[in-house]
Amino acid sequence: DIQMTQSPSSLSASVGDRVTITCQASQDISNYLNWYQQKPGKAPKLLIYDASNLETGVPSRFSGSGSGTDFTFTINSLQPEDIATYYCQQYDHLPITFGQGTRLEIK
Amino acid sequence: EVQLVQSGGGLLPPGGSLRLSCATSGFTFSSYAINWVRQAPGKGLEWVSTISGSGDTTYYADSVKGRFTISRDNSKNTLYLQMNSLRAEDTAVYYCAKDTNILVASWFDPWGQGTLVTVSS
């Protein structure tokens, strides 16, 4: 199985900050990497697909980059509504695997 | 608007069986693979199963293989997950999620509202 390692596991930042989360795959997954946002008590929501493509309707302050084994998810100018847990997910090989999640809090 | 509305779930004893349903609307159901993903209380996301648009091809996580069966009724635009021989470690919120691909899993969007399955004596 491909292991997805996210860091940090939790993060506290101020409104307006730039926030970066990394996701490392245990083997090359090309750009088959997606990012989701999950707010408490809610279903996950797709933000980024294929490493860097912004899903329709998602604010442009969210972005993704990377390929191979190393990926980055960035929120430019953090907003209060961005409080959530963020997950990466690979689909290069079955089983589909997710990172362990990054809990984002507002200072 | 694409919608996935889940039903089923509840409290079951170990060894019990349960069927989850996911009724969909707003898209051509048979043109997309659909997935089940679960989340144990306070834990992360775990992929469970995927079924192709036609229903001919299915994929399972090792943790549920041989116990869970994914199926779909394309005439009713509905997805199912038959869960047998349930274990305490199957306790989770189960989500259905539409794929963007017809055959294999890729990215999941949107997701159903989730349904809680609790396995306990």
Side-chain angles (χ1 to χ4, degrees), chain A residues 34 36 38 43 55 87 89 94, chain B residues 39 59 106-109 112:
Chain A
N34 309 313
Y36 299 87
Q38 186 179 32
E55 172 68 350
Y87 294 92
Q89 171 239 327
L94 289 177
Chain B
Q39 186 170 36
Y59 308 91
S106 56
W107 54 89
F108 307 158
D109 178 56

Side-chain angles (χ1 to χ4, degrees), chain B residues 12-16 38 62-65 67-68 84-91 94 117-120:
Chain B
L12 281 299
R38 68 184 180 183
D62 285 346
S63 57
V64 306
K65 197 173 296 182
R67 300 187 299 122
F68 289 12
N84 297 331
S85 303
L86 283 162
R87 306 167 179 167
E89 55 265 33
D90 295 319
T91 295
Y94 285 74
V117 174
T118 303
V119 183
S120 175

